[in-house]
Amino acid sequence: MLDNLTQTPEPATQDDAARLAELIVIAGDGLPLVVWEGMRQGDESLMDIGAARAARETGGFSFRNADVIRDGGEVISALVSYPLTEKTSQTDLATVPELFKPLVKLENLVVPSWYVNVLATVKAARRRGAGTALLSAAETRARAGGYQHLSLITGDINPARSLYESFGFRVAAQESIVKDGWNYAGENWLLYVKDLGAV
């Protein structure tokens, strides 16, 4: 593995859905598993649920919104991003599960922006430039779409914060994390924003 690693992102395909599910679990420090547990029916596995969601044609977590980097044919890093164009109203926010209310509140602060929902790299391929290459691809999409900001939300103990800051992101706001069945050591969600200037 890693013999043929390139730093050129390419669009994900539906066949990448299972690997995208694995990578979103890494990016979310297990939070997606809590979400998928609530969707489980019968004897399907949590990763089957995640792969099915990634294989959808629509929705935020869809292969259609993902760029990947491959080692040979194997996906070793992925980024899921898309535009945030509408705020969640206070009425709708009241119906959002408590676990996600802090995230939705932070998202509302950066509408409109190009939002990085997922960025993860398998452990063996880290620190080889894949994350920077994928963030650059997201920035290219943002500029092409006429967006003046890139945004993302991460936990306060995420070691990827140093990558985001070196790429030009700065903390713009924070909200306390609601754990509600999620075992996570962090205390706050951090909203990161990168100003792209006039496009």
Side-chain angles (χ1 to χ4, degrees):
M1 184 176 173
L2 304 182
D3 292 338
N4 301 311
L5 178 62
T6 66
Q7 305 302 340
T8 306
E10 60 186 70
T13 70
Q14 203 164 35
D15 290 338
D16 296 323
R19 178 48 69 94
L20 290 173
E22 294 173 11
L23 288 166
I24 194 177
V25 171
I26 293 171
D29 287 301
L31 179 59
L33 297 175
V34 177
V35 177
W36 299 340
E37 180 64 50
M39 301 176 180
R40 193 203 297 258
Q41 297 180 354
D43 60 356
E44 63 185 344
S45 74
L46 296 181
M47 296 310 296
D48 286 342
I49 295 169
R53 293 184 67 75
R56 298 175 301 167
E57 293 283 342
T58 60
F61 180 51
S62 162
F63 76 96
R64 293 286 185 192
N65 294 327
D67 290 305
V68 299
I69 289 179
R70 301 179 190 276
D71 173 31
E74 183 179 3
V75 172
I76 53 88
S77 190
L79 180 144
V80 177
S81 66
Y82 45 84
L84 290 180
T85 58
E86 294 184 10
K87 291 185 178 183
T88 301
S89 70
Q90 288 301 312
T91 301
D92 289 341
L93 182 61
T95 68
V96 172
E98 292 299 319
L99 191 65
F100 296 106
K101 281 184 179 176
L103 296 166
V104 174
K105 288 178 181 177
L106 290 173
E107 288 174 2
N108 274 350
L109 298 176
V110 287
V111 174
S113 70
W114 192 270
Y115 182 63
V116 175
N117 181 276
V118 176
L119 176 59
T121 301
V122 297
K123 189 172 183 178
R126 292 175 189 166
R127 300 187 182 282
R128 298 192 59 180
T132 300
L134 286 166
L135 286 171
S136 294
E139 181 171 331
T140 297
R141 289 179 181 269
R143 291 183 183 278
Y147 291 88
Q148 296 185 18
H149 300 93
L150 274 178
S151 61
L152 64 86
I153 299 170
T154 192
D156 54 6
I157 61 171
N158 187 349
R161 288 180 58 190
S162 59
L163 167 63
Y164 302 144
E165 290 167 7
S166 69
F167 194 76
F169 283 95
R170 297 293 176 260
V171 175
Q174 68 179 41
E175 287 280 342
S176 296
I177 294 173
V178 177
K179 299 185 181 178
D180 197 17
W182 177 38
N183 183 20
Y184 184 67
E187 296 299 327
N188 293 292
W189 291 118
L190 303 177
L191 173 66
Y192 274 91
V193 177
K194 179 176 180 178
D195 185 358
L196 303 181
V199 290

